[in-house]
């Protein structure tokens, strides 16, 4: 990629890639001595630069004041990221530009403070009309890019922000790089330091890792290195029973690869969200997610996935669940069923096909008539018993014993009302409820 090529040629090629789309502000707006660093440089050198990449620059002076001035001059928004270290973000025209004050006496000194060598390469911004400057690479990052190795700059740099321990696993996984043995040893030696990092930051890295094409491998490596012990990651697969309790978390994740998801019949859009969710559910209990300060919604989704995987295991599969159990599963996992199917030991393509049909009354359950209609038609009062009636009618519709809905013909609607009236009369008497005297006859 860069070996045996003139440094100026490499810099020129990188600059052309970076300018494939016009930047959100003129380069002349940035002061002399500004250098582009971080992911955009790395990805540009690898030929994998995204459209409108996030840009990180180091500036020789006060980055906060500069970002505020740029926001005023160009109609953007300034977001202060770290006031003490003078780091801010300029959001402008769909782009994100992070500006940081140079640390140390020189650009080389700043780069030597970074996490991994492939992130410690800088491209000084050329003056208007000038050729691109030669890349600044004080830690050998260009060589490591060429050999596809992830190498930590130093042990001390990893400990300066222990999140870098987990970030190294993510970078190696996402870039398909080999983790340098010495760097891995440092990560394993200091794995317990990750507990010092705010849970939200750890979870953000885990979510990025879970979303990677080969995220199951990266998450398994994080487990092997002991990085997630402090955060309560499971040592056994989701829904483990006494017969499989000796399996490891890595084994649970091994079945959650991209190829397996495709073999299960999931489409690309479904894989994009169901596979990361299934990986997180396999790895982290709701309690662990709570410790990581995740949203309650994510905790609920993972709890439901783990619960129903276990229930299906105990029942011997889908066919072993009673009707009420199947309806409860579909009600609770109406939006997330593909993720559950990824967690099951066997393929269930038929269930996936039914889930894709919005009209399927079991996989997208709803009562044949709403509660207000039932109250008006049958003169019954609101309350818990009405809720039970709606649940009964939903079950009957889910399994084809009743058909109704907004567009149902009169006979089908009458059938639903008759079934509801019969159920109500029986259960109202048993519960001593008042009402349900029969259909209204206006």
């Amino acid at each position: 990629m860069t070996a045996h090529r003139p440094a100026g040629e490499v810099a020129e090629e990188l600059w052309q890639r970076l300018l494939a789309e016009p930047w959100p502000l003129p380069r002349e707006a940035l002061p002399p001595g500004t250098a582009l660093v971080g992911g955009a440089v790395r990805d540009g050198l690898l030929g994998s630069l995204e459209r409108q990449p996030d840009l990180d620059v180091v500036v020789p002076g006060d980055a906060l004041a500069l970002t505020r001035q740029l926001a005023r001059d160009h109609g953007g928004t300034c977001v202060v990221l770290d006031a003490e270290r003078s780091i801010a973000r300029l959001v402008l025209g769909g782009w994100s530009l992070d500006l940081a004050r140079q640390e140390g006496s020189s650009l080389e000194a700043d780069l030597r403070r970074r996490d991994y060598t492939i992130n410690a390469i800088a491209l000084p911004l050329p003056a208007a009309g000038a050729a691109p400057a030669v890349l600044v690479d004080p830690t050998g990052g260009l060589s490591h890019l060429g050999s596809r190795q992830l190498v930590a700059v130093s042990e001390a740099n990893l400990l300066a922000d222990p999140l870098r321990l987990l970030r190294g696993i993510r970078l190696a996984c996402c870039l398909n790089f080999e983790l340098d043995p010495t760097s891995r040893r440092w990560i394993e030696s200091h794995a317990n330091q990750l507990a010092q990092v705010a849970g939200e930051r750890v979870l953000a890295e885990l979510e990025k890792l879970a979303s990677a094409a080969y995220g199951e491998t990266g998450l398994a490596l994080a487990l092997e290195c002991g990085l997630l012990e402090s955060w309560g990651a499971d040592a056994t697969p989701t829904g483990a029973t006494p017969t499989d309790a000796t399996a490891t978390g890595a084994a649970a994740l091994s079945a959650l690869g991209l190829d397996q998801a495709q073999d299960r019949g999931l489409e690309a859009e479904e894989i994009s969200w169901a596979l990361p969710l299934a990986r997180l559910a396999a790895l982290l209990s709701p309690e662990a997610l709570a410790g990581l300060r995740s949203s309650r919604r994510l905790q609920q989704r993972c709890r439901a996935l783990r619960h129903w995987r276990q229930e299906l295991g105990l029942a011997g599969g889908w066919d072993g669940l009673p009707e009420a159990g199947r309806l409860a599963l579909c009600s609770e996992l109406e939006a997330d069923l593909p993720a559950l199917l990824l967690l099951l030991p066997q393929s269930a393509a038929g269930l996936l096909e039914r889930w894709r049909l919005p009209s399927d009354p079991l996989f997208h359950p709803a009562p044949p008539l709403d509660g207000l209609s039932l109250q008006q038609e049958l003169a019954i009062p609101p309350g818990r018993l009405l809720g039970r009636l709606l649940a009964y009618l939903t079950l009957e519709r889910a399994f084809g014993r009743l058909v109704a809905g907004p567009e149902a013909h009169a006979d089908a609607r009458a059938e639903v009302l008759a079934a509801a009236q019969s159920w109500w009369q029986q259960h109202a008497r048993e519960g001593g409820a008042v009402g349900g005297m029969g259909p209204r006859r206006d």
Side-chain angles (χ1 to χ4, degrees), residues 368-369 374 377-378 380 386 389-390 392-393 396 402 413-428 436:
L369 287 176
L374 289 170
E377 294 282 353
L378 301 181
I380 60 179
L386 175 59
L389 172 57
L390 287 167
Y392 162 75
L393 295 175
E396 295 299 290
L402 286 175
R413 183 180 179 88
E415 184 181 358
V416 171
L417 288 171
Q421 179 66 18
S422 175
W423 186 95
W424 180 268
Q425 288 178 339
Q426 177 185 349
H427 291 81

Side-chain angles (χ1 to χ4, degrees), residues 115-372:
D115 51 6
Y116 296 91
T117 61
I118 62 172
N119 289 337
I121 306 170
L123 176 65
L125 268 59
V134 175
L135 290 165
V136 180
D137 176 29
T139 66
L142 284 169
S143 173
H144 296 146
L145 278 175
S147 60
R148 302 190 71 83
Q149 276 195 312
L150 187 72
V151 181
V153 173
S154 72
E155 186 175 15
N157 285 15
L158 295 182
L159 292 176
D161 180 1
L163 186 64
R164 292 173 170 178
L165 304 168
L166 180 57
R167 186 175 295 142
I169 303 292
R170 176 175 66 81
L171 285 171
C173 174
C174 292
L175 298 173
N176 195 23
F177 274 33
E178 181 181 353
L179 183 60
D180 164 64
T182 299
S183 302
R184 174 167 177 164
R185 187 169 66 251
W186 289 339
I187 290 172
E188 291 175 335
S189 298
H190 302 293
N192 62 345
Q193 297 298 305
L194 192 63
Q196 300 178 8
V197 180
E200 299 92 334
R201 298 181 69 211
V202 175
L203 181 60
E205 286 290 334
L206 290 175
E207 289 180 322
K208 291 177 184 176
L209 189 49
S211 297
Y214 301 100
E216 80 285 0
T217 302
L219 291 171
L221 180 57
L223 277 177
E224 292 172 22
C225 291
L227 283 169
L228 304 180
E229 290 181 5
S230 299
W231 297 103
D234 283 355
T236 54
T238 304
T241 63
T243 58
D244 62 11
T246 57
T248 65
L253 289 164
S254 66
L256 293 172
L258 181 61
D259 290 343
Q260 289 95 325
Q262 292 170 339
D263 290 343
R264 292 292 181 94
L266 270 70
E267 298 173 352
E269 189 278 330
E270 295 163 348
I271 290 174
S272 69
W273 61 265
L275 190 55
L277 178 61
R279 288 167 175 169
L280 288 176
L283 182 71
L284 298 165
S285 69
E287 292 74 24
L289 286 168
L292 290 166
R293 306 293 295 275
S294 82
S295 67
R296 289 187 179 180
R297 175 60 180 153
L298 180 58
Q299 295 171 43
Q300 292 166 351
R301 296 171 79 188
C302 289
R303 180 180 290 108
L305 289 169
R306 294 163 71 89
H307 168 75
W308 285 111
R309 182 187 189 277
Q310 185 173 37
E311 289 296 311
L312 287 168
L314 295 172
W318 174 261
D319 292 336
L321 281 180
E323 286 186 351
R326 294 185 214 176
L327 178 61
L329 184 158
C330 292
S331 297
E332 197 167 351
L333 292 177
E334 182 178 3
D336 291 336
L337 189 74
L340 175 67
L341 300 183
L342 290 173
L343 291 167
L344 300 181
Q346 296 164 342
S347 178
L351 303 184
L352 183 61
E353 292 302 320
R354 290 189 62 181
W355 175 82
R356 287 175 177 153
L357 295 173
S359 60
D360 190 294
L362 174 57
F363 287 81
H364 302 283
L369 287 176
D370 62 79
L372 181 59

